[in-house]
């Protein structure tokens, strides 16, 4: 059985990030042939084009991890009606130097959870604009604009009953998308 | 004569940033009562909500500088069809913690220059979405989608003849905007 490694990029550095918990819960809904690995982005420097010829070790590590993956899952909060600077900084690093972007062709999924009613919808729109430019085939439907609720993640870290059917459907669609587009 | 201090935020950390040069050239087109001060954003940490109660010194410094200003001028490149992560990270810091954002009410101007034909147009659209949420009154017209050319900035750091009329008009409009909305 072939294995698929998915690079998971969470847009929040907060220790108790609900998006990080969602990412963990989602991974448990995937078939065994899928392995979800979180990508560390909190130790990246701020992107500076002057360093393109000499990327920092954390940048090289992130790029190698993404390059070795069969897909990239973005799970992100919305900050000020866009994606967090932390996430965009990681994306900028991965796209450089010119001609050495790690993103093209990696099948992408976009999800997010927030306390607000729109559930990261505007952040996801900005992210989709960026991912199109990066030439990442990105799953369209189902869209997941998830509002944080007490039961979203249960005490064991699994997706709670209210959201499980929807998110299982989402994971199934993403798994199919990765198989279609990977390698 | 009252003085107006404008906090200038450049979206690129590159030493020879054409956007930084544009910002310097623009400042020379403004009347004497306007003082343009660049805001350092390259030493900010990556935003982490866990630090909201204990913001780092560079964050406090940036917030104090913006708070003391009568307007904020954003001059930014476009990275991957959006604003640089570096710039969004600074914006995210300034907006936190909840209820202590420095941005509301500060009259904003948005400009950018890039080698490409669209001249940062998509980055500016994303930025306008964010600035609206931050409740910054933002100059609408003239829009400035500037394509980098050899003559944009002359050897002395002034705006070159091909762009000077347009950018003088832009600065005049921004000066009027700041006077209308400041304080």
């Amino acid at each position: 059985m072939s294995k698929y490694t998915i690079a998971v990029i969470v847009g929040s550095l907060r220790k108790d990030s609900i998006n990080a918990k969602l990412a963990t819960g989602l991974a448990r809904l995937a078939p065994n042939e899928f392995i979800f690995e979180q990508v560390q982005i909190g130790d990246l420097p701020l992107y500076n084009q002057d360093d393109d010829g000499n990327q920092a070790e954390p940048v090289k590590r992130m790029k190698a991890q993404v390059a070795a993956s069969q897909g990239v899952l973005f799970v992100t909060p919305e900050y000020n009606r866009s994606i967090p600077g932390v996430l965009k900084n990681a994306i900028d690093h991965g796209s450089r130097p010119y001609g050495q972007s790690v993103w093209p062709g990696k099948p992408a999924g976009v999800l997010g959870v927030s306390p607000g009613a729109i559930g990261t919808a505007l952040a996801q729109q900005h992210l989709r604009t960026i991912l199109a430019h990066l030439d990442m085939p990105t799953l369209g439907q189902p869209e997941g604009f998830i509002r944080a609720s007490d039961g979203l993640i249960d005490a064991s870290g699994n997706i709670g009953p209210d959201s499980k059917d929807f998110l299982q459907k989402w994971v199934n669609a993403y798994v199919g998308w990765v198989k279609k587009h990977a390698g």
Side-chain angles (χ1 to χ4, degrees), chain A:
Chain A
M1 190 169 69
S2 13
K3 288 279 184 186
Y4 297 88
T5 300
I6 304 300
V8 180
I9 302 186
V10 174
S12 165
L13 300 183
R14 189 161 69 93
K15 189 164 166 290
D16 288 331
S17 162
I18 183 73
N19 280 282
K21 289 176 184 168
L22 174 62
T24 301
L26 284 170
R28 298 183 187 173
L29 301 179
N32 285 339
E33 58 190 322
F34 273 69
I35 298 160
F36 289 71
E37 282 184 355
Q38 193 170 336
V39 177
Q40 194 183 345
I41 63 171
D43 62 348
L44 299 175
L46 291 175
Y47 174 76
N48 183 336
Q49 193 185 330
D50 289 333
D51 302 328
D52 270 7
N54 185 26
Q55 291 187 310
E57 286 307 319
V59 176
K60 290 180 187 167
R61 181 206 64 220
M62 180 194 76
K63 289 183 73 176
Q65 190 176 359
V66 172
S69 76
Q70 280 72 50
V72 182
L73 172 60
F74 296 93
V75 187
T76 184
E78 178 172 297
Y79 288 173
N80 299 313
R81 302 294 172 240
S82 187
I83 61 171
V86 175
L87 173 56
K88 183 57 164 51
N89 184 61
I91 291 172
D92 291 342
H93 275 296
S95 72
R96 299 290 304 176
Y98 184 79
Q100 294 176 41
S101 171
V102 285
W103 308 115
K106 299 289 178 190
V110 172
L111 268 182
V113 51
S114 75
I118 64 170
T120 78
L122 291 177
Q124 290 187 37
Q125 278 304 312
H126 280 193
L127 184 54
R128 285 181 184 275
T129 298
I130 296 160
L131 300 186
H133 176 72
L134 297 172
D135 204 18
M136 301 179 79
T138 303
L139 180 68
Q141 294 287 354
E143 296 167 303
F145 308 129
I146 302 164
R147 187 166 187 173
S149 65
D150 287 345
L152 178 62
I153 310 288
D154 72 18
S156 314
N158 294 310
I159 306 291
D162 289 352
S163 300
K164 191 165 177 183
D165 286 354
F166 172 77
L167 288 171
Q168 184 65 64
K169 197 173 137 194
W170 192 94
V171 168
N172 294 349
Y174 182 60
V175 161
W177 186 253
V178 171
K179 289 184 175 179
K180 185 170 185 173
H181 290 276

